[in-house]
Amino acid sequence: MKKIAVFPGSFDPITRGHESIILRAATLFDEIIIAIGKNAEKKHFFPLEDRMRWIEKVFEEYPNITVTNYKGLTVDFCQKVNARFILRGLRTSADFEFERSISQINKKIIPEIETIFLLTTPEYTALNSSIVRDIIFHGGDPGQFVPEAVRDDIR
Ligand code: ADP
């Protein structure tokens, strides 16, 4: 059976932190599906189309890394695409506390789906999409925080 992992998130926008987690996980799974959750209550800075296009560009040379979007529960989406794994990144203990409850509830709903956590590498611990959005909003240069392939486009 193919090992398929779903990496859910907003990716608003994708950062080097996300990129690093995905590339490291690509050696562990046969396929990674980056899945942008469409949450009606959550306001986004960048349109879904842009967020998807940037991710496609970053991983265009990796046929086993794809991007899509979904509505509803992440575990339901995983079942739909036959993924047995959910991938998440951990930066801090706050991330851990947040992720732990989601992961434990997801496991209650569908016990066959395992959430796999990768610890961020130290250089990306302080990085998150909201910092990147702030920099862009205030006219700064987000270059060193976003993947090279999308640096100019995002700016
Ligand atoms: P969400 O809306 O779920 O917070 P994000 O797009 O912010 O979505 O994050 C998706 C996943 O990427 C989460 O598991 C998050 O912990 C992880 N992540 C975000 N930034 C980093 C980073 N700098 N290093 C490692 N993992 C990260």
Side-chain angles (χ1 to χ4, degrees), residues 82-145:
N82 288 322
R84 282 179 299 136
F85 304 96
I86 295 174
L87 173 66
R88 296 289 287 177
L90 289 181
R91 286 160 293 190
T92 59
S93 52
D95 269 357
F96 171 74
E97 288 303 334
F98 177 77
E99 296 291 342
R100 179 174 56 152
S101 56
I102 297 178
S103 160
Q104 288 174 336
I105 295 296
N106 279 341
K107 193 138 182 69
K108 280 262 180 218
I109 303 173
I110 302 184
E112 293 74 26
I113 297 177
E114 292 289 355
T115 305
I116 306 291
F117 299 101
L118 286 188
L119 269 187
T120 187
T121 50
E123 69 269 33
Y124 298 128
T125 301
L127 182 55
N128 61 57
S129 295
S130 99
I131 288 175
V132 172
R133 290 196 297 272
D134 259 9
I135 293 171
I136 294 170
F137 185 74
H138 292 104
D141 179 2
Q144 59 179 309
F145 306 117

